[in-house]
Amino acid sequence: MANYKVTAKELSNLMRLTFDNTTGEDVVAEVLPVYAKKLGGVEGILKALAVDKHKGINQNDFVDRKNLFGENKVEQDPQEPLWKLMWEALQDPTLIFLTCAALISLAIGVLVEQKPLGWLEGVAILFAVAVVVTVGAVNDYQKEKQFRDLNAKKDDVTVTVLRDGESSRMSTHDLVVGDIVLLSTGDVVPADGAVLGRNDLAINEKMLTGETVMKKKSSEYVMSSGSVDSSPILFQGTFVQEGEGRLVVLAVGANTYQGSMEEKMKEAEPGRSILQKKLDAMTDLITTVSMYVSIALVVILLLRMAYAFYSQKCCFEAWDHKLHWSEMLGFMITGITIFVVAVPEGLPLAVTIALAFSVKKMLKDQNLVRHLSACETMGGATTICSDKTGTLTTSRMTVVKIWIAGQAHNSAAEVLKAVPKVKTQLAEASVINTLFKTFLKIEKGITAYCGNDTECALLLLADELGDGYNAIRKRRPDDEAGRRCISFSSDRKRMSTVVPAPDGSSIVYTKGAAEIVADLCVEMVNADGTSVPIDAAMRRTVEGAISDFADAGLRTLCLARRAVSAKDGANLSPVELETGLTLVCLVGIEDPLRKEVPQAIKDCQRAGIVVRMVTGDNLQTARAIARKCGIVTPDDPPGAVMDGKTFRDLVQDENGELKQDAIDRIWPQLRVLARSTPLDKHLLVSGIQASMITGVAQTVAVTGDGTNDAPALKKADVGFSMGIQGTDVAKNASDVIIMDDNFVSIVCAVKWGRCVYDNICKFLQFQLTVNITACALACVGAAILTESPLNAIQMLWVNLIMDSFASLALATEDPNRVPGLKEQLLDRHPYPRTAPLLSKVMVRNMIFHALWQLGILLFLIFAIGDVCESGESINLCAGVPYPGGDFFTSIRSGRPVDFDLGLLEGVNTCVPKFDPANTHSFFLINSPAAMPIDASGLSYTGYVPLRSKEYCQEVHGCGVKSQHYTIVFNVFVFLQVFNEVNARKIHNELNMFQGIMYNNMFLIVLFGTIIVQILLVQIPGLNTAFGCTDLDVYQWLVCIGLGFTSIPINFLIHFLPYEWISLGSWAGGLDEAAIDEVLETTEEADKTDVEMTAQPQPTMVHVRNPDGTEAS
């Protein structure tokens, strides 16, 4: 194995040291002692790594270097298998409780009751748990796989590498320390390293530092006036904006700066979301109340039993161990059954379905959701801190203003229409004086920039004028005889190119800072293509145009030309050539707003969300862009726009700690933070989240694409990273990846977040109404009738309706399909984080719908049904019914016989217990009328009790199918079916049918439930299993009609007041202390983030672009 004189750790530390120290003072004090003195600069490092800078490494050393310095990839933790995700999903407290309830129900149904279908309730709950666990785990597995596939595809690119003196193309994953990589315009730097030899590289480090300024590179540090002009170190993930050069790889994989950040940013397991905590609290409350109700019911039944003994009622004349212990066990079973029925096992399923449905739909809206909780959280967002470049803007510099021949125009099309005769001069002035390493290329039908963004904008202008830049370059090639290029100078603030003219003379093309180049012009191009002198009035007009462009936040250039002799063109100095110019045009260049952004900003403002722009641009440009998209208005106070340094000075104390009182004075009116660093973004997010000056905690969403944005992304309630420009570190730190880098996609996330929240609330409103009715009915049945009017399998079907089917129907509303739903979702302010899940409107609806349903069902149970002996069938009376029965129908009662007969005065149906003193309790058999026993001649004389041993153990009640109880069951189901339509609206809307035809799943579930209900009542055998009997047409019409009453009743309930309802924790609300406890799960990770952001940030310095403009 080769012996290298430098270690991977030393090189990795050098990368970190270089990144953390960028000012001239810090470089001299911290970097140069290590880089230049200890390691000997690039030459010393090459020697220590045994690298020939002309030939690269020896291919035979590849394995040794890979083993010693590592691979060029950050090893991801293996994706968790599906079974493990399912096990983790099963740790949900609600699911654990449901599993226990199911096992208890199974044990009672199979071992105690020993009924043929006693196992169904327990199996049904276990099935619901299995569905929740499976859907949740599969959804998590798929979204993680999507994320990994996305990263793997993006990372696996090829680069040109020099090995053994030969160039070859290979995957970036095959790079090792010591490799020499050939870089050119448009390349992404594949590893950390140092520049070799002479080069003209200009690097965009925005994805690491957040700065958009190009950084010049050289093989050694070049410094002047105490500042760094160029440096030798390149970082993985940065972009070659222009130029060519060679890179020696010094750190790969986890040893790169970006790799080390990625390792540190590996996420902790997310805790339970606020919505989940609210649902947990509600489930706990329902469970507690159900437990007390069940206990109270058992106590009532026991008291009734005690009273029966006291009153010496039938079968309670004396204690019978076999009989009465069994009856007491039955009371316990009844209590547990009601407890199980009341458990909202559909809640986890509804949440899972709603989130899984929205995640798949959000992907179509360009949102790749990494953390499911982000869906619901985004619906409550109150603030969005957005980047500018690429999110609000197109991330492509474009000529948006052209001043030519005394007039300003907004596009090339306007120029062609107004002054067509100058288009060739304008196109040539735009193209000829640009670097050939700047060009445009088409990728997937989209024009991509390569090289200097400003020059690319001029090339695109030439294409729009109809004189394609490629055609002009073919006429004026780079190696054209007589061509002379005068590079940009920060002193001159301009650049020029001399090219030969057809008549043998030369033409000088100049472009640069508008105010400088315009002062050098003595003539200007007129509308007819000729040149006219610039008089004093026209000079003021030109200066006014430049001022207007600057006020609009545009990067303003002046394009000029001049005819000179061939001799002068070759020999005059730049200063001599660049005088007496003819002004061709002024161009205003900017990264334009996306067309859809202003409306998206309005949507956010209408939705009660404040959009704050956090950008590295200067104040003037930031303010101009913010005005265009509507983030700031002329009426906003001065504090609406602030620069990063001022912000930091105001909100940080001398120890770097956040001053909450200071930030509380700033953030409510702050709309634009300009010249900001990732540290500023983190401070802003932290301060807003911690603030309580509005009385309600804020929910903050943040966008970011750079590695240094990762701490703010993790700190935010919802972090959005960019799918196109975002780094791997930013994506790993985010909750949602915006696939198209477009702000509109963030608004879509808000829309879906609110839709998910509403869908879950719709299900809650429906399920809790069914729960109240079912539990009340079961309690009344058990307390009065001693048995529930609905048997176990009927309750199972009701549970399916209110759990699984309702989850599918109510949790899958699509705002992209239903007309007006998107606008409705964005027309209201966000829910406060502490707001209960149940609103006052929902509680009112639940109470009155449950009362209406109970009224109908209790009337059906107690007010109809003749009390009589069974006739030809169980539904017909034998003879005349007892007085005091049903006055509405001729159906025989399905209530327990003991209950019905107990209500009849003067009718004693109890067979008395054997008592020799009571002659009504036995037959007396005396000799000679002895009763023969068998053929042997033996006979029996004595008492024969009239009450058999099995008399008190006979099953009393509705276990036998009857039309009476079938009607009760049928009406119960149809009340729920029609109330499911009502449950679609939770904001007191009057029209519950609005948009119903656009929800296919709802219609399928609704009509599917009705069809199945008809089948299980009418089909012989199936109805027997459900304890039902078939009904005639009249009875069906009555059942459907009574069920349909839920619709008009909902209309009446709409007008009932609801302000009197007092909501509390019982309605699913959480106080701030509980929410803080939920959020504590991320605090440890966030502390690490803060430490990383606390490192020295790159200092912004003024630099000059090749076109003569300033940037920072």
Side-chain angles (χ1 to χ4, degrees), residues 647-648 652 676-684 708-709 1090 1093-1095 1097:
F647 176 75
R648 282 194 305 276
Q652 275 188 311
S676 64
T677 66
L679 174 60
D680 300 331
K681 185 183 289 186
H682 190 277
L683 287 171
L684 179 62
N708 272 19
D709 286 326
V1090 173
T1093 54
Q1095 65 192 21
Q1097 296 292 318

Side-chain angles (χ1 to χ4, degrees), residues 765 849 978-985 992 1046-1047 1050:
Q765 177 176 271
H849 273 293
F978 287 107
N979 192 41
E980 203 164 2
V981 177
N982 299 328
R984 294 181 61 252
K985 304 299 179 182
M992 71 287 293
S1046 286
I1047 300 294
N1050 187 74

